[in-house]
C-alpha cells in the first residue's frame, strides 16, 4: 500500500524562508542606519552575505539632479543627563532617541531650550517617535511622552557624540542579467534605524527574492537597489540615466512584514504592465498614484515616468506604529514575510510568462481529443486548467494578445492560462509569437 504524501517538501522550505527573513530582521534591527554612515554600510554588507551586492560610494558634495550628496553622519553615543550625572535618556537604549543628522554637542541646556528640541507622541505616551533633520542642521531628541514629563529640573547636560563631515553616501546594487535586456527594477530603502516593518521587512523580502531570481536563468534582467530613501534613488538616477529606458517594470518594496492586507500603489502611468499585473493579482487592493511615499516619487517624476509601483501591506502612515518605537520586532511576523515573498514571486512569474502566442491551427477549432488534451483535463492537471481556458488561449493566440490580455478578457487567473498555454505549446498547437514569427 502506498501512503499518501504529506505536505509537499516545497511548503516546508517556504515556511523556513519566512523564519529566515525574520531572523535577518532581528540581526539588523539594533543597527543605527541613516541615509549615510557606518550603520548603512554595515547593513549593506550584511545583505551582501546573502546576495552578491555591489557597494557604491558617492562622495559628499557630488551633484545629483537637483540635489547634493550630504555629509556623512556617524554617531558614537548621545544622552541627556541630570546635572549630578544621571543619564535619563540614552541613545544606547534606543537609537530613535536622537534626531537623525543631529550635530555634535556637549553643554548644559536650560529646560525651556531642551523642550524646544524634544519630540514626543502625546497620543501614544509610551512610544518614541522617529524624526530626521537631514537637510536642516540642528539637533534634537525623541522621547516617549512619559519620559518628557519627567524633565522637571531647570537644566540638563546634553551630549551628542556625532560627526557630520565629508564622506560618502553608500548604496547597494545587484544586476542579474536575463536573456532580454528589458529590466525589472526592485528598489528598497535602507536608511531607517531600529524600525522593523518600515525598512527591514522590505530589505529581507528583497534579499530573498533576489537570491530566488538568481537561482535560475530568466527571460528578463533584474536589478535590485538597496538605497537610502530619496537621496539614494536620486543618486542612482543621476548616474544611470541610460538604463532608465530599459526598465520595463519596477516595484518599490516596503512595509511587508505586518499582518495587514496587501496594498499596491500604481505607477504614475497607471496603465503600465506592472499596474495591470498587480490589478489582476490584487483586484481590490490597488490605489492610484500620488506624488508622495517612497522612492517611486523619484522614479515616477515626469522626466523619468518609469513604470514603477509600490507594493506594501499596511501602507506608510496608515498604521499607528509607523515611524515610532512600536514598529518593532513584534509588529512583523514570519508568516506575513512569507506571504509577501510569495506575492512578489507571483508577480515575477506573471511578468516572466506574459508572452504572446500564435496558433498553428487558427482556421476552425483544432481537434483537442486527438492530441490528448482532454485526457490531460481529466487527469492530473484537472486543477490547473479546463476546456474553457484552452479555448480562450487558442482563440486569442493571434500574435496580438499577451497572456495578461487573455486573463483580463477571459477573466481567468494567469497561472491557469499559463498552464493551458504550456499544454498547447507541448502539442505544438500554439507557439510563442516571436519563435513562430522566426520560423515563418
Ligand atoms: Zn519611513
Amino acid at each position: 500500500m502506498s501512503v499518501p504524501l504529506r505536505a509537499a517538501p516545497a511548503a516546508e522550505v517556504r515556511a523556513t524562508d519566512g523564519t529566515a527573513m525574520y531572523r535577518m530582521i532581528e540581526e539588523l534591527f539594533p543597527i543605527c542606519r541613516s541615509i549615510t554612515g557606518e550603520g548603512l554600510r554595515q547593513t549593506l554588507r550584511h545583505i551582501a552575505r546573502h546576495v552578491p551586492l555591489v557597494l557604491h560610494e558617492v562622495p559628499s558634495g557630488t551633484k545629483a539632479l537637483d540635489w547634493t550628496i550630504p555629509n556623512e553622519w556617524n554617531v558614537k553615543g548621545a544622552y541627556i543627563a541630570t546635572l549630578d550625572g544621571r543619564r535619563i535618556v540614552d541613545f544606547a537604549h534606543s537609537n530613535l532617541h536622537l534626531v537623525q543628522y543631529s550635530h555634535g554637542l556637549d553643554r548644559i541646556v536650560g529646560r525651556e531650550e531642551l523642550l524646544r528640541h524634544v519630540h514626543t507622541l502625546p497620543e501614544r505616551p509610551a512610544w518614541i517617535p522617529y524624526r530626521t533633520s537631514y537637510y536642516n542642521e540642528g539637533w534634537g531628541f525623541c522621547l516617549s511622552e512619559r519620559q518628557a514629563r519627567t524633565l522637571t529640573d531647570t537644566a540638563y547636560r546634553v551630549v551628542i557624540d556625532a560627526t557630520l563631515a565629508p564622506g560618502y553616501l553608500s548604496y547597494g546594487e545587484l544586476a542579474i542579467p536575463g536573456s532580454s535586456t528589458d529590466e525589472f527594477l526592485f528598489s528598497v530603502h535602507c536608511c531607517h534605524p531600529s524600525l522593523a516593518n518600515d525598512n527591514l521587512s522590505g530589505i529581507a523580502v528583497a534579499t530573498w527574492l533576489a537570491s530566488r531570481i538568481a537561482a535560475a536563468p530568466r527571460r528578463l534582467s533584474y536589478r535590485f537597489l538597496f538605497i537610502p530613501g530619496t537621496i539614494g534613488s536620486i543618486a542612482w538616477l543621476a548616474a544611470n540615466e541610460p538604463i532608465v529606458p530599459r526598465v520595463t517594470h519596477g516595484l518599490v518594496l516596503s512595509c511587508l512584514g505586518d499582518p495587514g492586507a496587501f496594498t499596491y500603489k500604481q505607477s504614475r502611468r497607471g496603465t503600465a504592465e506592472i499596474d495591470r499585473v498587480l490589478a489582476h493579482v490584487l483586484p481590490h487592493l490597488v490605489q492610484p498614484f500620488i506624488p508622495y511615499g517612497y522612492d517611486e516619487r523619484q522614479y515616477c517624476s515626469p522626466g523619468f515616468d518609469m513604470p514603477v509601483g509600490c507594493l506594501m501591506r499596511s501602507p506608510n502612515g496608515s498604521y499607528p506604529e509607523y515611524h515610532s518605537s512600536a514598529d518593532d520586532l513584534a509588529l512583523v511576523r514570519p508568516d506575513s514575510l512569507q506571504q509577501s515573498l510569495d506575492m512578489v514571486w507571483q508577480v515575477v512569474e506573471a511578468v516572466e510568462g506574459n508572452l504572446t502566442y500564435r496558433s498553428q491551427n487558427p482556421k476552425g477549432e483544432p481537434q483537442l481529443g486527438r492530441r490528448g488534451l482532454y485526457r490531460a483535463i481529466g487527469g492530473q492537471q484537472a486543477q490547473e486548467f479546463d476546456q474553457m481556458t484552452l479555448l480562450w488561449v487558442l482563440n486569442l493566440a493571434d500574435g496580438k494578445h499577451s497572456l495578461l490580455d487573455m486573463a483580463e478578457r477571459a477573466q481567468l487567473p494567469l497561472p491557469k492560462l499559463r498552464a493551458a498555454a504550456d499544454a498547447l505549446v507541448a502539442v505544438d498547437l500554439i507557439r510563442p509569437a516571436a519563435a513562430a514569427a522566426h520560423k515563418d
Side-chain angles (χ1 to χ4, degrees):
M1 270 304 282
S2 59
V3 179
L5 288 173
R6 57 193 186 86
E12 288 171 23
V13 173
R14 289 193 1 239
T16 315
D17 281 342
T19 316
M21 286 186 278
Y22 187 84
R23 207 170 302 130
M24 183 192 203
I25 291 173
E26 281 182 313
E27 285 166 7
L28 292 175
F29 188 77
I31 298 173
C32 181
R33 279 162 292 275
S34 184
I35 55 170
T36 62
E38 270 312 311
L40 173 62
R41 237 171 245 125
Q42 205 183 328
T43 301
L44 296 172
R45 284 193 207 110
H46 189 113
I47 300 167
R49 282 193 230 153
H50 298 270
V51 288
L53 212 58
V54 175
L55 187 62
H56 297 276
E57 298 277 9
V58 188
S60 303
T62 305
K63 295 279 175 212
L65 306 180
D66 195 43
W67 297 57
T68 304
I69 302 302
N71 281 339
E72 184 174 324
W73 186 64
N74 286 293
V75 190
K76 288 208 183 88
Y79 58 87
I80 302 171
T82 56
L83 295 184
D84 58 8
R86 195 167 47 86
R87 292 189 188 193
I88 49 174
V89 176
D90 198 335
F91 176 84
H93 296 152
S94 168
N95 55 38
L96 296 179
H97 276 316
L98 186 61
V99 171
Q100 293 231 321
Y101 266 66
S102 291
H103 58 64
L105 188 74
D106 183 355
R107 67 178 169 88
I108 308 300
V109 177
R111 181 175 177 272
E112 297 282 289
E113 186 191 351
L114 177 59
L115 289 180
R116 283 200 298 276
H117 292 267
V118 161
H119 306 267
T120 66
L121 292 169
E123 68 282 11
R124 302 278 180 182
W127 299 358
I128 306 165
Y130 161 58
R131 295 280 184 272
T132 67
S133 185
Y134 306 132
Y135 305 105
N136 296 312
E137 200 169 311
W139 63 274
F141 279 83
C142 298
L143 275 62
S144 73
E145 176 68 17
R146 276 182 203 149
Q147 273 179 310
R149 282 189 203 138
T150 67
L151 296 174
T152 50
D153 294 1
T154 51
Y156 292 89
R157 182 168 174 216
V158 176
V159 174
I160 302 173
D161 185 3
T163 54
L164 190 50
Y168 298 89
L169 172 130
S170 320
Y171 71 87
E173 183 170 29
L174 171 63
I176 307 169
S179 50
S180 165
T181 53
D182 289 352
E183 286 200 2
F184 197 147
L185 174 77
F186 286 96
S187 179
V188 181
H189 66 291
C190 302
C191 51
H192 290 19
S194 293
L195 298 174
N197 196 36
D198 179 12
N199 202 162
L200 291 178
S201 68
I203 292 174
V205 170
T207 302
W208 258 253
L209 178 69
S211 92
R212 207 187 261 193
I213 284 172
R218 307 283 166 204
R219 183 171 71 86
L220 294 171
S221 296
Y222 290 82
R223 188 177 301 272
F224 286 82
L225 297 178
F226 294 90
I227 50 175
T230 306
I231 191 68
S233 51
I234 282 173
W236 184 84
L237 284 163
N240 293 281
E241 276 212 51
I243 292 175
V244 169
R246 304 211 302 252
V247 176
T248 49
H249 309 81
L251 279 178
V252 168
L253 301 177
S254 182
C255 302
L256 289 168
D258 67 286
F262 285 102
T263 307
Y264 174 65
K265 180 185 155 188
Q266 290 178 323
S267 76
R268 180 177 182 267
R269 299 184 195 176
T271 54
E273 192 179 320
I274 189 71
D275 299 317
R276 291 172 55 208
V277 167
L278 268 298
H280 179 78
V281 176
L282 299 169
H284 308 295
L285 301 163
V286 173
Q287 292 183 356
F289 176 78
I290 53 161
Y292 189 71
Y294 295 105
D295 289 292
E296 67 275 12
R297 291 159 69 163
Q298 314 311 326
Y299 304 124
C300 294
S301 56
F304 294 117
D305 199 18
M306 293 166 75
V308 178
C310 177
L311 184 67
M312 297 166 280
R313 299 185 73 108
S314 299
N316 52 304
S318 76
Y319 54 100
E321 299 89 348
Y322 175 75
H323 279 190
S324 84
S325 55
D327 184 349
D328 61 10
L329 292 167
L331 184 66
V332 297
R333 301 178 180 185
D335 60 326
S336 298
L337 294 163
Q338 184 65 55
Q339 287 165 6
S340 299
L341 179 63
D342 292 345
M343 173 56 65
V344 190
W345 187 247
Q346 207 179 319
V347 172
V348 166
E349 292 218 300
V351 172
E352 278 283 323
N354 190 24
L355 301 179
T356 301
Y357 294 90
R358 200 179 291 282
S359 172
Q360 302 305 296
N361 189 103
K363 294 179 176 167
E365 285 183 356
Q367 208 187 339
L368 298 180
R370 181 154 59 83
R371 294 175 171 90
L373 285 166
Y374 283 127
R375 260 204 317 281
I377 293 168
Q380 286 188 321
Q381 296 184 36
Q383 270 90 46
E384 289 188 59
F385 59 85
D386 52 19
Q387 189 188 358
M388 198 57 170
T389 316
L390 282 175
L391 294 177
W392 269 115
V393 175
L394 279 168
N395 189 277
L396 294 176
D398 56 2
K400 294 180 194 132
H401 290 81
S402 69
L403 224 50
L404 180 61
D405 294 329
M406 296 183 199
E408 289 173 345
R409 180 143 174 196
Q411 299 193 331
L412 289 168
L414 267 169
K416 213 169 172 181
L417 287 160
R418 158 97 272 136
D422 288 347
L424 290 166
V425 168
V427 297
D428 202 31
L429 272 176
I430 62 170
R431 289 178 190 173
H438 186 71
K439 288 190 176 173
D440 281 350

